[in-house]
Amino acid sequence: MHKVVLFGISFYPRCHLYPDHWNKTPEWGTQWMIDHIEAGDAIGKPVVLEEFGYQNQATRDQVYQTWLSTIEQYNGAGSQFWILTGIQDDNSLYPDYDGFRVIYPSSTATVIQSHALNMNAKSGTSQPSVPPAPTGLLAKPGNGSATISWHASPGATSYTVQRSDNANGPYTAVAANLTATTYLDTGLTNGSTYYYRVNAANSVGASADSASVSVIPKEITVGNLSIQYKAAETGVNNNQIRPHFKIKNQGTEAIPYENLTLRYWYTAESNQAQFFDCDYAQLGCTNLSGAVHQLAQPLTGADHYLEISFASAAGTLAAGGNSGEIMARLHQGDWSNYNQANDYSFLSSARSYTENNHITLYDNGVLIWGIEP
């Protein structure tokens, strides 16, 4: 799931980019920005880049391009974010304005202009307007079902999902007043093609319809899948956990990676934010993402788990094949040590790839391999 990065308004954690953030080394500046993205992701908050409008045009462009390349490196090409900036009518720092405009248009940015948001800088009051049409519509096939998802539309309070058996319509609403950005449509016929589109609404009115997406429901047979694991960091006390994985398919049917999620269960030993890095993946690190979740109630050997999921661009896991290496790494916000001895998924003897059923694998959220703690 892509992180949503907002420019120009204040949410936590905020990133103030100054020259020393990238002048040390490009790698240091990039990691500094990634750490902020991950800190926001860990607590479910958007991240803000603020105050990069330097007088020097070349410096301003350098900061902006560094930020864009870091987002694409971390989240993959096509990551969604917004750019907001106040309209400046003169040289004063905070002039009166009644909207926003973009100063650095980009193919990866969704521009929120004054038709989407109207704000008075002095009073701080805002007048809502019709939200823009949802973007990023995706449809995943299921057995007699389809899961539809989309990006949230700024200012929207509800969504309506429409379906048709023809790309050109007519479309019929199958779900209305949805507040989530996902919908499971059931009772479909396997092998038939269905088309979906979504619109957003608020108290002002409804948006235009999104672009349509098609899906063909089918019964997907999950083959005999398993997880192979190697402990790249075998010491008990380390400031990093470095689990490596391979997903094996011993079945007779290719399985879409996007249907699969993998969980590595561990204890954090602190209240620090947890950070995930993909050091290498044969599939490409841009085709997977990792998120750390804290358990509401600690289990034996686990109060957190790392969940790795895959983008549709990862393709399929071939019958009789494997994913190739996925080299993951975890560290705490202050780089303090973990005690791997009490981690449910840790196996110190796994110096080479071996099956480890304390790592779990799921197909569309259903456990298909391993034993949960």
Side-chain angles (χ1 to χ4, degrees):
M1 181 176 183
H2 292 313
K3 284 72 182 172
V4 177
V5 181
L6 300 168
F7 286 13
I9 50 180
S10 297
F11 290 85
Y12 176 85
R14 295 180 292 176
C15 308
H16 295 265
L17 277 180
Y18 299 114
D20 62 322
H21 287 137
W22 67 89
N23 284 345
K24 293 182 178 180
T25 66
E27 294 79 10
W28 191 94
T30 297
Q31 188 59 51
W32 181 85
M33 287 187 280
I34 287 176
D35 287 346
H36 277 76
I37 294 172
E38 291 180 323
D41 190 49
I43 60 172
K45 298 291 185 181
V47 179
V48 180
L49 172 64
E50 296 184 322
E51 298 181 4
F52 69 102
Y54 296 96
Q55 294 299 317
N56 184 301
Q57 180 71 39
T59 302
R60 186 161 64 236
D61 289 345
Q62 181 185 9
V63 177
Y64 178 71
Q65 293 302 325
T66 301
W67 182 259
L68 282 186
S69 63
T70 302
I71 293 171
E72 294 210 342
Q73 173 187 324
Y74 184 75
N75 288 347
S79 304
Q80 187 191 26
F81 57 96
W82 290 272
I83 300 177
L84 286 174
T85 180
I87 295 174
Q88 296 198 14
D89 299 318
D90 53 36
N91 293 324
S92 62
L93 184 61
Y94 295 111
D96 292 338
Y97 58 90
D98 63 358
F100 292 90
R101 66 180 173 87
V102 66
I103 53 174
Y104 290 99
S106 160
S107 61
T108 57
T110 298
V111 181
I112 302 178
Q113 295 174 315
S114 57
H115 72 273
L117 182 62
N118 188 356
M119 179 176 289
N120 182 290
K122 290 185 176 180
S123 68
T125 60
S126 61
Q127 299 298 321
S129 60
V130 174
T135 61
L137 200 63
L138 293 175
K140 292 183 180 181
N143 184 15
S145 66
T147 300
I148 316 302
S149 63
W150 57 92
H151 298 316
S153 294
T157 56
S158 66
Y159 301 92
T160 296
V161 176
Q162 304 168 49
R163 185 184 72 206
S164 176
D165 57 8
N166 187 295
N168 297 319
Y171 284 82
T172 301
V174 293
N177 298 316
L178 298 173
T179 56
T181 56
T182 184
Y183 174 69
L184 174 63
D185 193 18
T186 59
L188 307 180
T189 301
N190 287 340
S192 297
T193 303
Y194 296 88
Y195 299 86
Y196 292 88
R197 64 189 190 189
V198 179
N199 63 44
N202 59 18
S203 59
V204 179
S207 74
D209 295 320
S210 69
S212 63
V213 65
S214 64
V215 63
I216 302 175
K218 64 176 182 177
E219 184 175 359
I220 299 175
T221 302
V222 177
N224 184 14
L225 270 62
S226 62
I227 300 288
Q228 288 192 321
Y229 158 82
K230 180 173 74 173
E233 197 72 67
T234 58
V236 170
N237 294 304
N238 288 285
N239 64 2
Q240 298 181 85
I241 298 174
R242 295 172 58 207
H244 293 181
F245 312 104
K246 287 182 181 179
I247 306 174
K248 291 189 65 178
N249 181 5
Q250 296 170 304
T252 59
E253 184 176 348
I255 306 299
Y257 279 108
E258 65 177 331
N259 291 350
L260 303 177
T261 50
L262 176 156
R263 290 182 183 178
Y264 181 90
W265 306 80
Y266 72 100
T267 56
E269 278 84 46
S270 79
N271 293 322
Q272 291 289 315
Q274 303 292 301
F275 294 96
F276 161 81
D277 293 294
C278 175
D279 289 335
Y280 169 80
Q282 185 172 315
L283 295 169
C285 285
T286 57
N287 289 325
L288 61 85
S289 59
V292 177
H293 300 273
Q294 183 174 4
L295 299 173
Q297 295 294 328
L299 304 172
T300 302
D303 54 23
H304 287 73
Y305 62 85
L306 164 66
E307 183 170 78
I308 295 177
S309 56
F310 303 90
S312 58
T316 58
L317 175 54
N322 69 73
S323 64
E325 288 192 296
I326 300 170
M327 299 180 180
R329 178 161 50 91
L330 292 161
H331 71 85
Q332 314 216 54
D334 62 355
W335 290 92
S336 57
N337 279 354
Y338 294 103
N339 174 16
Q340 294 195 98
N342 62 4
D343 290 353
Y344 180 78
S345 295
F346 176 63
L347 189 60
S348 62
S349 61
R351 305 299 177 92
S352 59
Y353 280 101
T354 184
E355 287 190 352
N356 181 356
N357 64 8
H358 280 198
I359 300 168
T360 50
L361 184 67
Y362 304 80
D363 174 66
N364 285 314
V366 178
L367 179 67
I368 60 171
W369 160 263
I371 303 168
E372 293 180 337

